Amino acid sequence: MDKQVMSDMTTGAGRGWRSTFRVRLLHAQVRRRIAKGMGRHNTYDEEANGVPINQADLLAVLGAFMIAPMWSLRRMGIKVTPREEAAYQVAWRHVG
């Protein structure tokens, strides 16, 4: 999805935006199926385990997508300007 997201995030029409929207819908469908007990174990205790695929989970994933590539580039010796890094972060904030 990363390549698609970075291609065009024009709201409502861009390839990246549409791809992101599809993933968010997929997460909603999975969350609903798990909550209804239609997951792998056929039962789910939301009170004990929390909301499946919740906003905190999504925040952690987006944070990883935002930070890990920058760390990796630095470790490989690839210089990223502060402006490029900020632009990358803004793109992932838009996804979120």
Side-chain angles (χ1 to χ4, degrees), residues 22 26 31 35 44 47 49 69 71 78-79 85:
R22 281 191 301 273
L26 175 65
R31 180 173 38 253
Y44 188 80
E47 192 170 310
N49 301 310
W71 285 349
I78 298 171
K79 303 268 187 216
E85 187 170 349

Side-chain angles (χ1 to χ4, degrees), residues 22-36:
R22 281 191 301 273
V23 170
R24 296 298 296 257
L25 285 177
L26 175 65
H27 288 160
Q29 289 173 335
V30 171
R31 180 173 38 253
R32 187 170 157 203
R33 287 180 58 87
I34 291 170
K36 287 186 168 194

Side-chain angles (χ1 to χ4, degrees), residues 10-90:
T10 304
T11 303
R15 179 180 178 201
W17 189 91
R18 289 191 318 264
S19 178
T20 301
F21 189 76
R22 281 191 301 273
V23 170
R24 296 298 296 257
L25 285 177
L26 175 65
H27 288 160
Q29 289 173 335
V30 171
R31 180 173 38 253
R32 187 170 157 203
R33 287 180 58 87
I34 291 170
K36 287 186 168 194
M38 299 167 71
R40 183 185 329 165
H41 302 291
N42 296 328
T43 182
Y44 188 80
D45 186 353
E46 193 170 299
E47 192 170 310
N49 301 310
V51 175
I53 310 178
N54 60 51
Q55 293 301 308
D57 296 335
L58 296 175
L59 178 63
V61 170
L62 287 173
F65 284 174
M66 189 184 295
I67 295 168
M70 293 297 118
W71 285 349
S72 297
L73 289 172
R74 285 190 192 104
R75 288 189 66 176
M76 291 186 293
I78 298 171
K79 303 268 187 216
V80 179
T81 67
R83 183 181 171 109
E84 289 169 331
E85 187 170 349
Y88 186 77
Q89 291 173 359
V90 167

